[in-house]
Amino acid sequence: MNKIVQCVPNFSEGRDLEKIEKIVNPFRGKNGVKLLDYKRDEDHNRVVVTVVGEPEAVKDAVIEAMGVAIEVIDMTKHQGQHPRMGAIDVVPFIPIKNISMTEAVELAKEVAKIASEKYNLPIFLYEKAATDPQRENLATIRKGEFEGMAEKIKSPEWTPDFGPAEIHPTAGVTAVGARMPLVAFNVNLDTNNLEIANKIAKCVRHISGGLRFCKAIGIELSDRGIVQVSMNMTDYTKTSLYRAFELIRIEAKRYGVNIVGSEIIGLVPMEALIDTAVYYLGVEDFSMDQVLETRIME
């Protein structure tokens, strides 16, 4: 592959394995496309797919998968802990090799235009592809979620970038964009009190005065009887995972709560984990050039 782009579409189905396989299937067996991972979460009721490949091939596969998701997901019946506004909730493109952010933005716009026309789906552009500063932040676009989007979309300031100015009756609304690699990082707490998780999330996330490249919400893991602080680290090179972890630990102390574990959803850049390992091990003068896999892949 001369040019490589990554795409991490999030679909609002994390419980029905048959539906998930149908959604993921368009990414299998395609020239120029490699399915790296798909991670489902029953509490979030969401599946996160990670694919890489040549831009045109990835574009075609993503559009096909979006069509399948519209067929099998009914948002009027969807319930889950993770904020969502559509069957295909978000479709980000990330430049990986020999492709610029500008090209990733153009690819996002192509996908949004084609999918909106093919499926009669309202689509917002976000992050680097945003057409308005208030649309850069996905959380701002998604505020109100599926249930509130029917009214929100009628407002002139929230007219979709592509597609009709009304939600799809069963698939809702989609956001398509281009961004830096994101790390979906969750920290679990030994309490079932969701209010505590939300208070800690408020301290951690940037929009409330926390870490610059961190988005966070509280999530209830009902099957485990605990809660978690669910985060998107939007630039791990500037806000490290260990900083978010330690800040959560500090804030949890005031409630007598402890961290009992953490998780990474989907794939993660090696540098993000190496950075954290170096911090906790106290390794001095360490360089990514000392990582065996880095030298092998040169």
Side-chain angles (χ1 to χ4, degrees):
M1 298 181 188
N2 181 38
K3 291 187 175 184
I4 299 178
V5 68
Q6 181 184 30
C7 187
V8 190
N10 288 215
F11 301 95
S12 296
E13 177 55 68
R15 298 168 183 169
D16 190 316
L17 294 178
E18 183 177 351
K19 289 181 179 179
I20 291 171
E21 289 302 316
K22 287 181 179 178
I23 293 168
V24 173
N25 206 46
F27 299 112
R28 295 188 171 104
K30 300 285 177 64
N31 289 330
V33 177
K34 184 174 180 61
L35 173 64
L36 298 181
D37 181 66
Y38 60 105
K39 175 81 171 182
R40 71 183 185 94
D41 189 296
E42 293 189 5
D43 291 301
H44 291 208
N45 200 5
R46 189 179 188 86
V47 62
V48 178
V49 181
T50 305
V51 296
V52 296
E54 297 169 347
E56 285 298 311
V58 171
K59 179 183 74 174
D60 292 342
V62 168
I63 292 171
E64 183 181 346
M66 291 173 74
V68 175
I70 290 171
E71 289 179 5
V72 302
I73 297 175
D74 184 351
M75 291 303 295
T76 65
K77 301 176 182 177
H78 183 274
Q79 291 183 331
Q81 293 292 320
H82 199 288
R84 78 287 182 272
M85 62 183 181
I88 315 103
D89 197 55
V90 59
V91 182
F93 290 93
I94 303 102
I96 298 296
K97 177 185 176 184
N98 294 333
I99 179 172
S100 66
M101 183 62 75
T102 299
E103 290 175 291
V105 167
E106 289 305 311
L107 182 61
K109 290 179 178 179
E110 288 179 32
V111 168
K113 184 177 186 298
I114 294 171
S116 66
E117 294 173 351
K118 188 171 185 178
Y119 305 124
N120 198 36
L121 183 69
I123 295 178
F124 291 101
L125 296 174
Y126 82 108
E127 283 278 354
K128 301 297 184 182
T131 55
D132 186 284
Q134 74 169 336
R135 298 187 181 192
E136 291 181 11
N137 190 336
L138 177 62
T140 303
I141 297 174
R142 197 159 52 194
K143 188 175 181 180
E145 300 192 41
F146 173 75
E147 289 77 9
M149 201 58 63
E151 285 300 316
K152 180 177 181 178
I153 207 171
K154 294 177 182 178
S155 170
E157 65 178 323
W158 288 109
T159 299
D161 293 291
F162 294 95
E166 59 181 12
I167 68 168
H168 187 287
T170 57
V173 179
T174 295
V176 178
R179 59 164 173 77
M180 283 278 294
L182 174 151
V183 180
F185 179 46
N186 303 330
V187 176
N188 298 332
L189 307 173
D190 63 352
T191 177
N192 61 3
N193 191 325
L194 183 58
E195 184 179 357
I196 291 176
N198 281 324
K199 286 181 178 179
I200 295 173
K202 186 176 181 180
C203 293
V204 172
R205 63 182 178 235
H206 174 247
I207 196 172
S208 303
L211 299 171
R212 175 61 184 87
F213 295 98
C214 176
K215 299 178 180 179
I217 58 172
I219 295 286
E220 182 181 10
L221 304 182
S222 55
D223 62 325
R224 296 178 60 181
I226 61 174
V227 295
Q228 74 177 192
V229 178
S230 178
M231 296 174 288
N232 281 341
M233 309 299 292
T234 58
D235 189 342
Y236 66 88
T237 67
K238 296 178 180 176
T239 299
S240 300
L241 303 191
Y242 70 79
R243 290 179 188 155
F245 189 86
E246 290 300 330
L247 182 53
I248 290 171
R249 188 200 304 276
I250 291 169
E251 292 297 332
K253 281 185 178 180
R254 71 172 68 204
Y255 305 107
V257 169
N258 300 300
I259 292 174
V260 293
S262 64
E263 63 179 352
I264 299 285
I265 303 298
L267 302 187
V268 57
M270 182 188 300
E271 186 178 0
L273 296 181
I274 294 295
D275 181 44
T276 297
V278 167
Y279 171 78
Y280 283 112
L281 295 176
V283 182
E284 297 181 2
D285 302 321
F286 188 83
S287 167
M288 280 296 292
D289 291 336
Q290 294 176 253
V291 178
L292 176 63
E293 288 80 1
T294 298
R295 301 300 293 271
I296 290 174
M297 291 185 291
E298 287 180 346

